[in-house]
Amino acid sequence: MVRSPLTTLCYMERDGQYLMLHRTVKKNDVNKDKWIGVGGHFEAGESPEDCLIREVWEETGLTLTSFRFRGIVTFICDDYPVEYMCLYTADGFEGELKECEEGHLEWVPKEDLEQLELWEGDKIFFRLLAQEAPFFSLKLVYEKGVLMEAVLDGRSL
């Protein structure tokens, strides 16, 4: 099966915390041992919102009731195909949190995020989210796991 280069990534918010996924399960995972939000690849015929709602439910058991499309992230990393991530935050959801097959889910205070094993580029969009930046386009280029280039709305950072 050919994987779509389109993905969703969602940071679910509750009481000053984000629900983070520590990716520890899959072998050959570009996100292995990193802490990220929840989400994944589009399936045929899905809109970004369809993918978001399905992926959040599959990974957490929670159904989104309120979310915002915050930006698009172009993620370029070595031998992996280019990925275009639709970045969301969500502050409304219902249901019972379940175990995730891709790693460990944990509510992490926003002020503690930088202590986690994160992609360097994620720190950039966490800052943009905290600043309530308007919809943005962020291009992140990595070589061997090191951030080599970051471009926000067409301007190098």
Side-chain angles (χ1 to χ4, degrees), residues 56-82:
V56 167
W57 186 83
E58 288 177 359
E59 293 184 1
T60 70
L62 301 173
T63 300
L64 293 179
T65 59
S66 176
F67 53 86
R68 287 175 52 201
F69 194 177
R70 305 295 296 274
I72 184 108
V73 180
T74 304
F75 183 78
I76 301 169
C77 184
D78 297 322
D79 297 328
Y80 292 90
V82 173

Side-chain angles (χ1 to χ4, degrees), residues 9-22 33-38 87-89 104-131:
L9 183 63
C10 184
Y11 288 98
M12 299 172 68
E13 302 178 69
R14 177 188 81 182
D15 301 325
Q17 302 173 318
Y18 280 135
L19 183 61
M20 299 294 290
L21 173 58
H22 190 197
D33 297 325
K34 299 280 193 214
W35 289 80
I36 64 172
V38 294
L87 180 64
Y88 289 86
T89 53
H104 171 72
L105 291 167
E106 184 176 326
W107 289 102
V108 178
K110 291 178 185 179
E111 62 269 13
D112 296 343
L113 291 171
E114 298 245 354
Q115 297 169 23
L116 301 177
E117 182 68 28
L118 302 171
W119 289 101
E120 283 301 310
D122 291 15
K123 296 175 185 178
I124 296 170
F125 60 70
F126 280 136
R127 186 181 75 242
L128 293 168
L129 295 176
Q131 295 169 348

